[in-house]
Each structure stands twice: as C-alpha cells, then as structure tokens.
Amino acid sequence: VGMKRRGISNDSISAVKRAFKLIYREFKKIGQVREILTAEYPVLPDELELLISFIETQQDGKVGRGREA
C-alpha cells in the first residue's frame, strides 16, 4: 500500500515482491537473487536495486544475512 501511495509503478512493486519471495521464502543468496532478477528484468527498477544493494552491504556487518556466506 505504501509503495502505491508513493507513486511507484506496478512493475517495480512486483519486482520487489519477487525479490522478497526469493530471499525470505526460498532462502536464496543475494547473488543468486540478483542473477535471477536480472534475467527476468533487463533493467532493474531503482527500488529493487536499492533493496539488493542494502542487503549486500548488510552482509559485511556482524548482524543480518552475512552469516550465511
């Protein structure tokens, strides 16, 4: 709901939903998620790129998904 209120396109919203499903339901690593989504979307939406880059930077920290590497 919040993304629609911000005026984000439906394509971007569906891409972010797809990324969340891959990461948190199918337990894919972020590198695999990036590969899958670049195959599905020739140009990644800005919102999706922001999400992926945020998770990648969290892997460097002591909390978050960095422990799975």
Side-chain angles (χ1 to χ4, degrees), residues 18 22 28 31-41:
R18 175 85 169 116
L22 290 171
K28 302 276 186 194
Q32 293 172 323
V33 172
R34 184 182 283 278
E35 289 176 13
I36 292 169
L37 293 174
T38 52
E40 292 179 10
Y41 301 95

Side-chain angles (χ1 to χ4, degrees), residues 3-57:
M3 293 176 80
K4 284 187 179 183
R5 287 183 186 161
R6 289 282 298 194
I8 296 173
S9 70
N10 288 335
D11 291 338
S12 295
I13 293 171
S14 65
V16 170
K17 284 182 181 180
R18 175 85 169 116
F20 267 93
K21 286 179 184 178
L22 290 171
I23 295 167
Y24 295 110
R25 290 189 184 163
E26 297 181 20
F27 303 105
K28 302 276 186 194
K29 292 188 178 187
I30 196 65
Q32 293 172 323
V33 172
R34 184 182 283 278
E35 289 176 13
I36 292 169
L37 293 174
T38 52
E40 292 179 10
Y41 301 95
V43 177
L44 292 179
D46 292 337
E47 297 81 13
L48 183 58
E49 189 63 47
L50 181 66
L51 173 68
I52 291 173
S53 65
F54 173 77
I55 294 172
E56 287 174 338
T57 58

